[in-house]
Amino acid sequence: MTQYLLSIWSTDQEMADIPTEGLEEAYAQVGAFNDSLQQAGAWVFGGGLEPSSTATKVDSTQGDAVVTDGPFLETKEQLGGFWVIEAPDLDAALAYADQASKACFSAVEVRPFQAEPTE
């Protein structure tokens, strides 16, 4: 089985525009989706993220750590949450992403993890 990252992408404005009832519905639907992943044996890990304004970047590539508060990118869409799943192939992962997108009212990107090097 291959592991895939299903990442949720939306804009801060899209999230702000969801009424309270819509957020409650999304939380319930995502909870049901998480349960279905677990029952199918596809669940590895998942979670939602706080807004990008809460992020902190640590860059030690030039020696001492440089710590910078976010947000960092001038972009419309932000990573809002993710799942790591196991699926037999890309088609199965895409089917899970379809369910995830409907559950959380956002676009979901699917990316396979790199294969472990073989010796």
Side-chain angles (χ1 to χ4, degrees):
M1 292 261 229
T2 301
Q3 289 188 343
Y4 293 87
L5 175 69
L6 306 183
S7 52
I8 302 167
W9 291 91
S10 61
T11 67
D12 288 338
Q13 189 61 51
E14 288 171 336
M15 294 309 293
D17 288 346
I18 298 175
T20 303
E21 315 81 56
L23 284 176
E24 292 170 0
E25 181 181 355
Y27 288 141
Q29 290 180 172
V30 168
F33 175 65
N34 291 345
D35 290 344
S36 72
L37 286 175
Q38 292 168 3
Q39 291 171 0
W43 173 271
V44 176
F45 180 77
L49 300 173
E50 293 293 337
S52 62
S53 60
T54 66
T56 304
K57 178 172 73 173
V58 178
D59 185 349
S60 299
T61 58
Q62 302 299 316
D64 293 337
V66 176
V67 179
T68 310
D69 290 334
F72 308 104
L73 300 175
E74 295 297 324
T75 179
K76 291 182 181 177
E77 292 184 320
Q78 304 286 334
L79 177 64
F82 64 92
W83 293 269
V84 177
I85 64 164
E86 288 187 340
D89 55 37
L90 179 60
D91 288 338
L94 293 173
Y96 283 125
D98 176 54
Q99 296 172 35
S101 179
K102 289 173 183 166
C104 68
F105 304 120
S106 295
V108 174
E109 177 185 73
V110 178
R111 292 179 69 178
F113 278 84
Q114 293 179 347
E116 295 289 324
T118 57
E119 295 183 46

